[in-house]
Amino acid sequence: MAAADIGIIVSLCKRRGFIFPASEIYGGLGSTWDYGPLGVELKNNVKRAWWKAVVYDRDDIEGMDGAILMNRLVWKYSGHEATFSDPLVDCRECKGRFRADKTYELDCPRYKRKVAACSANLTEPRAFNLMFKTQVGPVEEDAALAYLRPETAQSMFVNFKNIVDSRWRKIPFGIAQIGKAFRNEIVPGNFTFRTREFEQMEIEFFCKPGTDADWHAHWIEERHNWYLRYGIRAENLRRYVQQPEELAHYARACTDLQYRFFPEREDEEKQWDELEGIANRTDYDLSVHSKGKHDKWQVHNEHSTQSLVYRDPVTNEKYFPYVIEPSAGADRATLAFLMDAYSEKPGPDGEPRVVLKLHPALAPIKVAVLPLARNKSELVEKAKAIKADLQRHGIRAVYDDTAAIGKLYARQDEIGTPFCVTVDYDTLGIGKTKDGAKEEDAPASPAGLLDTVTVRDRDTWEQVRVPIAGLRDFLADRLGTV
Ligand code: GAP
């Protein structure tokens, strides 16, 4: 099944508090987005699921959290100052600026045609560096130039030795990091797919030259399976092997995991775009950040104070480790999970209902506890006590009594809450009162229902009766752990 298109997700996100246009009351700021109450929970859950898979569930990865501002020399020797650019063309007529390699896709802002059709008005392409510049220090003239990092990777390379030494690490092992990155994209767009400020989830995995192809294959498999495990349907995820002419000069191979971000496009090939790249970066990174001459990379590093060469503690062999880099976008992953979870089905009134079938580990709220009536204090107190108990035991739960029960169910379906727990008259053992009937006239509660609640499943809408005493275990079993 094709995923929902991005337009539908943009509207759901705004309507239900996942993602809002940033600085909206001032007219916004091109392609910047704020994660709202549910968006922050969803994205945190995506990041937590990634961290669990790559740091906690393995024994060969260390985590870190590096500074966004780094010494400018990092970007000189990484090659970003010289080469981290996109080709830019200007239109002499409309004064628009476009990525030269995208003119066949982009609409001309003046005429009903693609930018490529304006070729007579376009300047020659020139390189436009994507790094945002800033200054470190209070006085502008004396301040040191710095960049907002365009990737998290470099702090893992420059901390390689710190982590080997402080954590007694031997090759093979990796470093993982989640953090913000900034790129002054010429053409941002498509919601959170391409923005100027975004978050990355990156691994730099260091291995012995010669073992790199196997580790590369391992990581492609691992990362592909991670997306499937958390709910992406196999038909919406594919591998794209980069051709030699597409590879960075230092890379030996790179496979992209592509997601069907644009299911509405007629041309199947154009429906896919990058979710994560998994590159074999060879020994480039640790070499170029090491002091001295590196003829292989035509780099002479006169500034680094260290050599990042690795010495095998058993054989004493010295080498620069190869790096396998699975590099994912937290925002793109969040968007893909949202798109893939989106579904509609007819509600009891025949009208289409949105059901967001997020994996329980990713769902912003796991359980909504609802009293059947908000004007009956015993129902309210019991429901609030159940909510507090679940939350105390680490199950993200909310209490809600702001609408009738059918409406509350529909709202929770739309935001992906896997379970609703309803506290009703049977829970209190006093049976059901008909509208307007006096409580003492209510029929007795059927035997065995005292201190039980209804648990409703988001995807099947099935309801089962569960004793409150066993509710936590019942839910925990079905929610699993993140
Ligand atoms: N260290 C390698 C690196 O940064 P990349 O392919 O440029 O590789 C990795 O970026 C991932 O970061 C991409 O697959 C994508 O998910 C995410 N990403 C890159 N640019 C982005 C942007 N402008 N907006 C949102 N996500 C972006």
Side-chain angles (χ1 to χ4, degrees):
M1 201 179 112
D5 73 46
I6 288 184
I8 290 175
I9 298 300
V10 175
S11 133
L12 171 72
C13 284
K14 174 88 203 278
R15 196 168 69 243
R16 290 292 171 240
F18 282 92
I19 303 175
F20 309 120
S23 325
E24 193 179 12
I25 64 166
Y26 288 105
L29 172 69
S31 290
T32 55
W33 300 92
D34 292 336
Y35 285 78
L38 299 182
V40 64
E41 299 287 349
L42 173 61
K43 190 157 107 162
N44 279 343
N45 290 341
V46 169
K47 292 188 282 184
R48 201 172 294 131
W50 181 88
W51 193 266
K52 176 180 181 293
V54 308
V55 181
Y56 296 164
D57 289 351
R58 301 179 62 106
D59 300 314
D60 55 0
I61 305 242
E62 299 282 354
M64 68 164 282
D65 182 16
I68 286 175
L69 296 176
M70 302 181 77
N71 190 311
R72 180 185 169 182
L73 293 168
V74 170
W75 307 108
K76 172 183 165 71
Y77 287 105
S78 68
H80 282 78
E81 271 195 339
T83 62
F84 194 62
S85 53
D86 276 340
L88 173 82
V89 288
D90 291 283
C91 176
R92 293 186 193 90
E93 190 180 333
C94 74
K95 309 294 175 210
R97 290 192 149 172
F98 310 98
R99 245 176 82 166
D101 53 341
K102 299 275 179 200
T103 56
Y104 286 94
E105 292 167 32
L106 297 169
D107 291 323
C108 165
R110 183 155 295 180
Y111 304 108
K112 259 190 143 222
R113 61 190 191 195
K114 296 293 174 198
V115 172
C118 310
S119 56
N121 293 323
L122 300 180
T123 59
E124 281 299 306
R126 63 197 161 83
F128 172 74
N129 196 294
L130 300 182
M131 287 196 293
F132 278 104
K133 288 181 180 153
T134 188
Q135 64 186 57
V136 177
V139 184
E140 201 167 332
E141 299 76 54
D142 308 337
L145 169 65
Y147 301 102
L148 301 187
R149 67 180 178 196
E151 60 174 17
T152 65
Q154 297 303 321
S155 48
M156 296 185 267
F157 300 136
V158 301
N159 276 294
F160 170 75
K161 202 167 148 31
N162 280 336
I163 290 179
V164 168
D165 293 347
S166 60
R167 302 292 302 152
W168 310 282
R169 279 293 176 184
K170 295 189 183 70
I171 297 292
F173 83 98
I175 307 177
Q177 177 170 213
I178 298 176
K180 289 259 180 175
F182 303 82
R183 295 181 191 176
N184 200 0
E185 299 279 2
I186 299 169
V187 195
N190 288 315
F191 195 33
T192 52
F193 177 81
R194 181 168 284 109
T195 50
R196 296 192 169 105
E197 171 183 346
F198 55 96
E199 232 171 329
Q200 289 188 314
M201 309 186 289
E202 295 199 293
I203 301 163
E204 307 303 332
F205 194 85
F206 303 98
C207 60
K208 190 171 180 182
T211 65
D212 50 306
D214 285 349
W215 279 112
H216 191 218
H218 166 86
W219 277 109
I220 294 167
E221 205 61 27
E222 281 288 300
R223 296 300 307 139
H224 192 136
N225 289 338
W226 182 81
Y227 289 103
L228 299 183
R229 195 176 332 138
Y230 285 99
I232 299 289
R233 280 161 291 177
E235 65 267 29
N236 293 332
L237 187 68
R238 73 174 191 184
R239 298 175 187 185
Y240 171 77
V241 179
Q242 287 194 12
Q243 299 305 301
E245 64 276 13
E246 296 175 276
L247 293 173
H249 72 280
Y250 49 77
R252 174 175 276 186
C254 185
T255 295
D256 291 339
L257 296 178
Q258 294 185 330
Y259 179 70
R260 199 191 294 273
F261 280 109
F262 306 102
E264 71 285 4
R265 291 183 181 164
E266 257 174 53
D267 181 349
E268 237 264 21
E269 244 343 272
K270 296 209 164 114
Q271 295 181 358
W272 302 89
D273 216 324
E274 182 183 329
L275 178 58
E276 167 161 356
I278 303 149
N280 178 343
R281 298 176 64 106
T282 68
D283 59 1
Y284 175 78
D285 305 287
L286 295 183
S287 307
V288 298
H289 285 306
S290 292
K291 66 179 174 187
K293 269 183 121 182
H294 309 286
D295 292 339
K296 178 177 175 187
W297 301 113
Q298 296 169 359
V299 168
H300 182 185
N301 193 325
E302 299 166 326
H303 295 94
S304 173
T305 55
Q306 289 186 12
S307 168
L308 302 177
V309 80
Y310 176 77
R311 188 172 57 80
D312 187 303
V314 178
T315 63
N316 273 333
E317 188 188 353
K318 282 185 172 175
Y319 58 88
F320 286 113
Y322 269 41
V323 172
I324 307 300
E325 180 192 63
S327 173
D331 306 273
R332 279 192 199 175
T334 302
L335 178 58
F337 285 122
L338 273 170
M339 291 176 69
D340 232 80
Y342 186 93
S343 72
E344 288 181 10
K345 70 176 182 183
D349 55 2
E351 289 299 307
R353 281 258 193 104
V354 174
V355 181
L356 202 55
K357 295 186 175 177
L358 288 168
H359 187 285
L362 303 185
I365 296 165
K366 315 298 180 198
V367 182
V369 187
L370 318 169
L372 192 63
R374 68 172 159 211
N375 52 6
K376 173 90 183 150
S377 61
E378 291 96 318
L379 291 177
V380 169
E381 278 162 27
K382 185 68 90 183
K384 285 188 172 170
I386 292 172
K387 181 261 159 176
D389 179 70
L390 293 175
Q391 193 60 62
R392 205 169 31 249
H393 289 87
I395 298 179
R396 175 76 187 118
V398 293
Y399 167 86
D400 193 3
D401 65 7
T402 56
I405 198 76
K407 205 166 198 174
L408 293 179
Y409 285 156
R411 282 187 195 160
Q412 296 298 333
D413 287 345
E414 200 178 9
I415 62 172
T417 306
F419 295 105
C420 287
V421 168
T422 307
V423 176
D424 57 18
Y425 289 94
D426 288 333
T427 312
L428 305 178
I430 58 172
K432 291 188 184 73
T433 50
K434 290 252 160 39
D435 280 351
K438 279 194 246 153
E439 211 162 83
E440 54 269 28
D441 298 336
S445 178
L449 293 186
L450 178 67
D451 286 332
T452 64
V453 286
T454 297
V455 179
R456 175 185 177 273
D457 182 287
R458 175 196 66 198
D459 300 342
T460 61
W461 293 355
E462 274 170 17
Q463 304 193 6
V464 290
R465 207 72 202 175
V466 178
I468 295 175
L471 180 65
R472 222 193 296 137
D473 288 346
F474 178 93
L475 292 169
D477 282 352
R478 283 152 185 82
L479 291 167
T481 50
V482 185

